[in-house]
Amino acid sequence: MNKLIIFSAPSGSGKTTIVKHLLSLENLNLAFSISATSRAPRGVEQHGKEYYFLSADEFKNRIQHDDFMEWEEVYASCYYGTLKSEVERLWANGKNVVFDLDVAGGLRLKKKYPDQTLAIFVEPPSLVALEERLRNRKTETEEKIQMRLNKAEQEMATAHQFDVIIKNDDLQQALQEAERIVTDFINR
Ligand code: ADP
Ligand code: 5GP
């Protein structure tokens, strides 16, 4: 059975860092589901690598065509979604698919595929630490940092709805824990 491994957390918790580590472990046979988004690329991000970057109009068109497995307006006027075609392509290649989704999208996708999904919540040690990480990453304007922090508190309150919570305080420990949990799930 093709498996889905979903990572959700407030922005800045360390999802991308953990997911990148797991993708580097070839024995897990993982592939990343590249989402579509209407936000602009930041830094060195490339179309078809981190995201499929679409205009808001293109994104809405694809919603009309029922092209998404799930989508959310994660921030005001900023759409993010998982394309059915992306996941079908990876499943056809026999991969276990890893998703980086906001908490609403993560829980929605888990409901769609309850038996083959592991939904993981990545928890930062505190909101103060989260803010520090977002600032240190230096990828966001002050306005965007505030937008992400404003959402973080309500996102943290959904943690208990996930299958597992990984606390990302010490990074090496979090990476090891993620590795163990995902390996167990794939081999079960
Ligand atoms: P997300 O994908 O959840 O938005 P990132 O993986 O981009 O988060 O991590 C946010 C920032 O915090 C990055 O600069 C990353 O290097 C850093 N980071 C990740 N995990 C830790 C950790 N355990 N301790 C300190 N910094 C971390
Ligand atoms: P960022 O702009 O920092 O890359 O992502 C912002 C938020 O959007 C993160 O919480 C990320 O997990 C979420 N996200 C990315 N892709 C998708 C997607 O396809 N669907 C949903 N629901 N959320 C997504």
Side-chain angles (χ1 to χ4, degrees):
M1 198 197 316
N2 291 311
K3 294 194 167 152
L4 297 85
I5 299 141
I6 299 171
F7 283 86
S8 294
S11 179
S13 304
K15 283 178 311 251
T16 310
T17 309
I18 293 174
V19 164
K20 276 199 180 141
H21 171 70
L22 293 174
L23 290 170
S24 74
L25 304 171
E26 284 175 17
N27 59 331
L28 295 180
N29 193 30
L30 302 175
F32 183 64
S33 164
I34 301 169
S35 296
T37 180
S38 68
R39 82 149 162 78
R42 82 187 162 211
V44 295
E45 288 181 337
Q46 287 170 28
H47 180 79
K49 189 159 175 249
E50 285 81 5
Y51 282 106
Y52 300 112
F53 293 100
L54 308 180
S55 69
D57 282 348
E58 281 170 323
F59 200 104
K60 287 178 191 161
N61 244 321
R62 300 207 64 169
I63 295 174
Q64 294 304 321
H65 282 101
D66 196 25
D67 286 346
F68 289 106
M69 206 168 243
E70 64 76 37
W71 65 270
E72 297 286 335
E73 187 176 356
V74 177
Y75 304 109
S77 300
C78 247
Y79 296 88
Y80 294 80
T82 305
L83 289 163
K84 289 178 184 169
S85 56
E86 173 74 2
V87 179
E88 281 158 8
R89 178 176 70 79
L90 299 173
W91 277 346
N93 290 334
K95 295 290 186 182
N96 297 308
V97 181
V98 177
F99 300 83
D100 176 339
L101 306 178
D102 84 313
V103 296
L107 293 171
R108 186 184 301 254
L109 197 56
K110 166 87 189 175
K111 272 206 187 110
K112 261 192 167 172
Y113 301 96
D115 300 331
Q116 60 201 96
T117 302
L118 181 70
I120 301 170
F121 188 89
V122 180
E123 193 175 59
S126 65
L127 287 169
V128 173
L130 187 73
E131 179 166 0
E132 225 172 73
R133 285 181 193 175
L134 277 173
R135 289 194 192 289
N136 288 342
R137 195 169 69 184
K138 296 188 166 65
T139 52
E140 249 73 38
T141 60
E142 183 58 31
E143 184 200 352
K144 297 236 165 86
I145 289 177
Q146 286 309 328
M147 217 161 72
R148 282 164 159 70
L149 290 173
N150 287 341
K151 214 176 166 190
E153 210 162 339
Q154 88 199 46
E155 290 172 323
M156 299 273 269
T158 68
H160 66 281
Q161 296 181 56
F162 286 76
D163 298 319
V164 204
I165 299 175
I166 295 178
K167 193 158 191 176
N168 182 18
D169 190 352
D170 177 83
L171 180 60
Q172 287 314 315
Q173 262 179 28
L175 294 180
Q176 271 175 23
E177 197 182 344
E179 207 174 312
R180 180 179 54 74
I181 289 167
V182 172
T183 305
D184 285 354
F185 175 68
I186 283 172
N187 295 328
R188 103 180 160 185

